[in-house]
């Protein structure tokens, strides 16, 4: 203790080799005793796949190049499994274990920037999986070299494999940081990775092309001819000429560049979330401005990818089917397809709106704390961007932006050359606005006023149950379709579809639903349009009561001595 | 060992807490807490479970943001310049968790690297130094998870001391330690303060805390009840009276009757072979009473003054608060 406290050194976030957290995990996760068996097993499996694939090629009298190419895909699958599944699970589980054991507080206190800590965990926790991946690489390199695969083929594949790995691991890191139970963190991260990168990308088949760029699939598909045996590769390459290139409004990109661009935006948002949590444990995952910006960014990407594909017809799911089966030479999209795609766009927008408004909405505890702090500082109002401030107006902004995007997409569909004579007048925008404002703000106001449990219950009772009940009624008898439609119409989840089916001129509802769907939609939209302002009013009342309760002069208020100088900490606003 | 600011002439505090409040929803864990801990002291924090000690420590160490209030460590605002503050504090949490996948020296080496304690050799030397200070050198290669409770406490204490923090925040550091280890801990903390560090320590072993600390404060239900030296705290808590135990050779009942009429004496009673009574007078009055007792023919074998222990005072405070 005789020596003074050492001078401050800054750990660079980018110098990963010197990152203490990374080195700590290298120490603990790369012990020969533990690594040895896993490494042996991985090399064994990789060697088996390699030997099987190349022997199969030799047996089929393929030349050396084709035989070597046979081994590339099995090894890629193994490498993806190691990095995506094992790595992500390790990241999520390891992060939760840190908190479980209680040592995370030590890491919070070490003088490293939040970004340096995030980088340390991002590369440190899955370091064993990286080593296992590297252990399989000599076989892959041999296959690529012997298979004469050019650098412009393997570089994009491995580049996007790496960027997707980072994205998946960041997802795991966020889950591990947010979910408290170790087992739940593991399951949630796997479920989240599965839905984000397997289920949601399927939306690409229904017009939301952007989502497929969150996966390795587009780049892999583009490069596939180059890594397949020559004969199969040539055939696939000829077929690929029929596929569209990546378009973003009027710009053309390669699959790899656009995938990296899309993934980096999401990865950046994940890093911001993690840094916020490292900086202050209690803070929201995203600030209000960032959440709104992120929502706008997703809207722009969705529109930028989708709109250029409408006129060529590549956006319509039925064209993909017709192209593959080659059974419909005079293909044209069905009107119902466009209505469905508009509905899906609206639903995805609404879902994203709910997720982001959930992130920026302060819990009751946060609001109370925020008001006490504001009062202590002698302020009359909460700073707009503070976590404890209401998320109502930001949700409204996102809802308006979402409605504009939805309208733009729908208008491009309806007014395309595929549906001559049809128009999407401006009043449609009004209806879309009403749907997103009513459903989005209603959810947000309820969440902010009543908290997560009550909102969850409301989502089940009003959002999910009517859908299920309506579907069951529809299955019983065709005569029950109208009742089913009335029930389903109650759920905000059905509103985007009902809106598109009701107000678009291209909509062709079956006779059994032709009256029920528009009436149900109008009725329930009216109910929601009345309920949401009421919920908003009740929220305003609650916030006013809270603000008044925290006022120093309020009765039953614990005495808050007036600050002399700067006795109350400032309200910190982070973005 | 307090230091003065040469410009203002005021004593500079190592820890300055002003109007601090911590809420968990409707529950207030720390309520309008103001305290100054002078530099170079071992300052004790005493309070029953749920008093708000851990919340207070978490705020001081920047692990938790308060509802409002200000905390300055060595003059630096904890929430304005968190990174600087984290360089000057060492925090040992309650139950002292350790990672299960590291050996003792690796655990320390990681923290030494994180605090930027020089090259590999310099770090290793500092790690060995700290291990020796807590008498854990023989366990340097043991797995952290294999350590006993006391050894774990010592390993975490070594980690806390690694970067030579100017302010140490220790939450229940003595729990789980055997008497020998407690003595060593006490000596280690004294050595730290001699070198200029300030130690803010909480404990349930109150007697020991009173023995170890130059000053202490008592906290209950989130509020500061008293602070100062042990005697000052006793005085502030209104417990200045003493109990006297007189050991007599016979005539106990007569002694009780005689004492009932004496000034300053209250509540005399028999307890086995002794006579117990409360006494509110000063030292002179107490000497006179002993003289009179002998003068009246009572054969006095021993005459002992017994003060309420800190435990008794705290139990009394906690009970009073619970009732109110």
């Amino acid at each position: 203790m005789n020596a003074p406290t050492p001078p401050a050194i800054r750990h660079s976030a980018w110098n990963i080799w010197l990152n203490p957290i990374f080195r700590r995990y290298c120490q603990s996760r790369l012990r020969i005793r533990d690594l040895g068996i896993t490494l042996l097993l991985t090399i064994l499996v990789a060697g088996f796949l390699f030997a099987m694939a190349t022997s199969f090629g030799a047996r089929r009298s393929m030349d050396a190049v084709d035989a070597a190419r046979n081994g590339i895909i099995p090894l890629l699958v193994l490498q993806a499994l190691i990095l995506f599944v094992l790595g992500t699970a390790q990241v999520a589980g390891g992060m939760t274990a840190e908190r479980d054991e209680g040592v995370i507080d030590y890491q919070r206190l070490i003088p490293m920037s939040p970004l340096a800590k995030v980088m340390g965990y991002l590369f440190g926790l899955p370091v064993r999986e990286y080593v296992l991946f590297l252990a399989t690489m000599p076989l892959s390199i041999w296959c690529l070299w012997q298979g004469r695969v050019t650098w412009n083929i393997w570089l994009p594949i491995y580049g996007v494999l790496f960027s997707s790995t980072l994205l998946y691991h960041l997802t795991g890191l966020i889950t591990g940081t947010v979910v408290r139970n170790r087992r739940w963190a593991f399951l949630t991260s796997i479920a989240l990775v599965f839905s984000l990168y397997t289920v949601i990308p399927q939306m690409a088949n229904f017009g939301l092309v952007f989502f497929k760029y969150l996966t390795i699939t587009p780049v892999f598909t583009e490069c596939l001819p180059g890594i397949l045996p020559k004969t199969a590769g040539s055939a696939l390459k000829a077929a690929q000429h029929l596929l569209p290139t990546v378009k973003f409004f009027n710009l053309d990109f390669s699959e790899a560049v656009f995938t990296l661009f899309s993934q980096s935006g999401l990865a950046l948002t994940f890093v911001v979330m993690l840094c916020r949590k490292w900086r202050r444990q209690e803070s929201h995952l995203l600030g209000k401005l960032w959440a709104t910006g992120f929502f706008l960014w997703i809207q722009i990407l969705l529109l930028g990818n989708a709109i250029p594909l409408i006129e060529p017809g590549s956006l319509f799911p039925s064209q993909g089917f017709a192209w593959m089966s080659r059974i419909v030479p005079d293909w044209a999209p069905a009107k119902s397809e466009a209505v469905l795609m508009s509905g899906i766009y609206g639903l995805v927008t609404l879902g994203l709106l709910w997720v982001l408004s959930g992130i920026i909405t302060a819990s009751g505890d946060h609001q109370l704390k925020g008001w006490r702090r504001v009062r202590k500082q002698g302020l009359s109002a909460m700073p707009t961007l503070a976590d404890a401030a209401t998320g109502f107006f930001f949700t409204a902004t996102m809802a308006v932006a979402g409605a504009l995007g939805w309208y733009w997409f729908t208008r491009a569909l309806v007014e395309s050359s595929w549906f001559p004579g049809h128009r999407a007048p401006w009043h449609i925008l009004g209806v879309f606005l009403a749907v997103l404002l009513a459903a989005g703000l209603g959810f947000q106001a309820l969440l902010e006023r009543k908290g997560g449990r009550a909102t969850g219950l409301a989502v089940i009772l009003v959002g999910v149950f009517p859908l299920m009940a309506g579907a069951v009624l529809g299955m019983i008898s065709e005569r029950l379709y109208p009742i089913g439609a009335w029930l389903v119409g109650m759920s905000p989840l059905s509103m985007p579809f009902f809106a598109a089916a009701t107000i678009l001129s291209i909509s062709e509802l079956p006779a059994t639903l032709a009256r029920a769907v528009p009436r149900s939609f109008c009725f329930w939209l009216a109910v929601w349009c009345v309920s949401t302002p009421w919920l908003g009013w009740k929220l305003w009342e609650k916030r006013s009561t809270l603000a008044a309760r925290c006022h120093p002069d309020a009765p039953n208020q614990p005495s808050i001595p007036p600050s002399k100088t700067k006795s109350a900490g400032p309200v910190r606003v982070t973005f | 060992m307090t230091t003065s600011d040469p410009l203002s002439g005021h004593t500079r505090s190592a820890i300055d807490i002003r109007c601090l409040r911590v809420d968990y929803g409707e529950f207030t864990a720390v309520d309008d807490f103001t305290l100054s801990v002078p530099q170079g002291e071992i300052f004790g924090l005493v309070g029953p479970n749920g008093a708000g000690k851990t919340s207070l420590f978490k705020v001081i160490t920047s692990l938790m943001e308060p509802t409002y209030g200000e905390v300055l460590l060595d003059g630096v605002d904890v929430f304005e310049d968190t990174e600087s503050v984290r360089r000057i504090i060492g925090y040992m949490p309650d139950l002292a968790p350790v990672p299960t996948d590291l050996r003792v020296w690796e655990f320390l080496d990681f923290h030494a690297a994180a605090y930027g304690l020089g090259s590999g050799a310099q770090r290793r030397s500092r790690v060995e130094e700290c291990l020796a200070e807590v008498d854990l050198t023989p366990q340097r290669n043991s797995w952290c998870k294999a350590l006993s409770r006391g050894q774990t406490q010592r390993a975490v204490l070594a980690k806390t001391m690694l970067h030579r923090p100017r302010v140490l925040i220790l939450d229940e550091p003595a729990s789980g330690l055997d008497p020998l280890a407690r003595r060593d801990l006490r000596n280690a903390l004294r050595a730290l303060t001699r070198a200029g560090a300030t130690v803010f320590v909480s404990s349930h072993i109150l007697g020991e805390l009173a023995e170890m600390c130059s000053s202490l404060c008592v906290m209950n239900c989130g509020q500061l009840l008293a602070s100062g030296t042990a005697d000052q705290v006793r005085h502030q808590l209104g417990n200045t009276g003493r109990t006297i135990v007189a050991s007599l050779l016979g005539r106990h009942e007569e002694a009780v009757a005689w004492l009932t009429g004496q000034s300053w004496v209250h509540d005399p009673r028999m307890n086995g072979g002794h006579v117990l009574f409360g006494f509110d007078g000063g030292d002179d009055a107490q000497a006179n009473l002993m003289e009179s007792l002998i003068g009246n023919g009572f054969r006095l074998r021993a005459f002992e003054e017994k003060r309420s222990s800190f435990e008794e005072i705290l139990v009394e405070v906690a009970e009073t608060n619970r009732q109110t």
Side-chain angles (χ1 to χ4, degrees), chain A residues 31 106 108 280 373 572, chain B residues 65 67 86 97 106 192:
Chain A
R31 290 185 205 284
Y106 300 150
R108 283 189 191 287
R280 198 156 65 92
R373 190 178 300 161
R572 270 161 282 276
Chain B
E65 203 171 54
T67 305
R86 286 176 177 178
E106 290 171 341
L192 288 170

Side-chain angles (χ1 to χ4, degrees), chain A residues 1 3 5-7 11 24 28 31 101 106 108-109 111 280 282 365 372-373 549 560 566-567 569-570 572, chain B residues 21 23 25-26 61 65-70 80 86-87 97 100-101 106 113-115 117 143 164 192 195:
Chain A
M1 191 55 66
T5 305
H11 294 282
R24 171 243 186 276
S28 66
R31 290 185 205 284
E101 289 168 2
Y106 300 150
R108 283 189 191 287
L109 287 177
R280 198 156 65 92
E282 305 93 348
D365 289 1
R372 282 181 177 149
R373 190 178 300 161
R549 226 182 84 195
I560 304 173
K566 204 184 68 161
S567 55
R572 270 161 282 276
Chain B
R21 179 177 172 127
D23 293 303
E26 296 291 337
T61 51
E65 203 171 54
T67 305
Y68 54 72
E70 197 178 31
E80 293 296 323
R86 286 176 177 178
R87 295 201 59 78
T100 51
D101 57 347
E106 290 171 341
Y115 280 97
L117 301 186
W143 292 100
R164 301 183 174 92
L192 288 170

Side-chain angles (χ1 to χ4, degrees), chain B:
Chain B
M1 193 179 120
T2 56
T3 56
S4 295
D5 187 336
L7 293 176
S8 63
H10 291 143
T11 302
R12 207 172 139 199
S13 303
I15 305 173
D16 220 340
I17 305 167
R18 297 177 198 163
C19 299
L20 190 76
R21 179 177 172 127
V22 179
D23 293 303
Y24 299 100
E26 296 291 337
F27 175 70
T28 304
V30 179
D31 190 7
D32 192 26
F33 195 96
T34 298
L35 179 76
S36 279
V37 177
Q39 277 190 343
E41 279 203 13
I42 303 180
F43 199 95
L45 174 63
V46 186
N49 285 335
K53 300 190 297 289
T54 300
S55 294
L56 179 67
F57 276 5
K58 287 205 163 185
V59 171
I60 296 173
T61 51
S62 77
L63 284 172
M64 186 197 279
E65 203 171 54
T67 305
Y68 54 72
E70 197 178 31
V71 180
L72 303 176
L73 289 190
D74 250 10
V76 183
D77 189 318
V78 168
F79 302 104
E80 293 296 323
D81 193 358
T82 307
E83 243 182 272
S84 301
V85 161
R86 286 176 177 178
R87 295 201 59 78
I88 61 172
I89 56 166
Y91 174 50
M92 180 174 171
D94 190 12
L95 298 174
V98 283
T100 51
D101 57 347
L102 290 180
R103 295 176 195 277
V104 173
W105 77 267
E106 290 171 341
F107 172 52
L108 266 65
D109 188 58
F110 159 53
H111 284 278
Y115 280 97
L117 301 186
S119 67
Q122 286 171 315
R123 281 204 317 265
R124 270 193 293 280
S125 142
R126 179 64 188 148
V127 165
E128 296 305 332
E129 205 178 304
C130 287
L131 282 174
E133 273 186 54
V134 296
D135 198 19
L136 212 60
T137 307
Q139 280 77 30
R140 69 182 299 284
N141 286 320
S142 304
W143 292 100
C144 288
K145 63 184 172 190
L147 297 178
S148 70
R149 176 78 197 278
Q151 287 171 333
T152 305
Q153 295 278 106
R154 282 189 275 156
V156 176
L157 184 64
K159 181 227 67 137
T160 311
M161 299 190 309
L162 264 177
H163 59 291
R164 301 183 174 92
R166 295 211 292 272
V167 179
L168 280 100
I169 314 284
L170 312 177
D171 200 354
E172 308 280 350
S175 62
L177 298 188
D178 58 39
L180 207 64
R182 278 184 201 163
R183 190 199 60 195
D184 291 346
L185 170 73
R186 206 160 46 226
N187 292 339
L189 296 186
R190 281 179 183 152
L192 288 170
T193 52
R194 274 198 298 276
T198 307
V199 181
F200 194 15
V201 56
S202 78
S203 178
H204 284 123
I205 306 160
L206 308 173
E208 188 174 275
L209 204 59
E211 197 181 307
M212 180 196 302
C213 300
S214 31
S215 307
L216 48 90
C217 65
V218 179
M219 187 181 187
N220 194 30
C221 297
Q223 290 177 322
L224 181 68
L225 299 182
S227 71
T229 60
D231 278 343
Q232 285 169 337
V233 166
R234 240 182 251 275
H235 188 77
Q236 286 171 44
L237 292 176
N239 198 303
T240 50
R242 53 192 105 174
T243 301
I244 292 176
V245 183
S247 301
L248 299 168
L249 296 175
R251 297 178 64 198
H252 294 104
E253 284 172 14
E254 281 178 59
V256 169
W258 182 81
L259 282 165
T260 308
Q262 301 301 310
S263 46
W264 310 112
V265 172
H266 59 85
D267 194 21
R269 59 199 181 277
M270 278 172 52
N271 186 352
H274 313 288
V275 173
L276 261 74
F277 56 95
F279 189 75
D280 295 334
D283 289 347
D284 278 348
Q286 191 176 325
N288 291 340
L289 180 73
M290 191 162 64
E291 220 172 82
S292 308
L293 200 60
I294 295 166
N296 278 282
F298 293 103
R299 297 185 68 201
L300 194 60
R301 189 167 59 81
F303 194 82
E304 189 187 0
E305 176 189 317
K306 191 181 154 202
R307 287 200 163 198
S308 304
S309 68
F310 262 104
E311 274 87 352
E312 285 165 346
I313 297 172
L314 270 181
V315 166
E316 200 178 309
V317 167
E319 286 294 334
T320 312
N321 272 339
R322 195 182 291 170
Q323 282 159 19
T324 54

Side-chain angles (χ1 to χ4, degrees), chain A residues 241-306:
Chain A
H241 284 304
L242 301 172
L243 287 174
T245 54
V246 188
K247 292 209 187 314
F248 185 65
F249 294 110
N250 291 324
L251 304 169
D252 271 312
F253 290 98
S254 80
E255 299 277 359
V257 169
F258 196 76
T259 302
L260 288 174
F261 172 71
S262 306
Q263 292 190 348
S264 59
L266 194 60
L268 181 66
T269 303
F270 283 168
V271 169
V272 167
M273 288 178 173
L274 288 164
C275 286
R276 282 177 64 90
K277 279 285 174 193
W278 274 106
R279 194 170 292 124
R280 198 156 65 92
Q281 205 178 350
E282 305 93 348
S283 64
H284 291 165
L285 277 174
L286 283 177
K288 292 181 167 62
L289 270 187
W290 192 286
T292 311
F294 181 69
F295 183 87
L296 293 175
W297 182 73
I298 295 280
Q299 285 293 324
I300 290 168
L301 285 174
L302 286 175
L303 292 170
N305 280 149

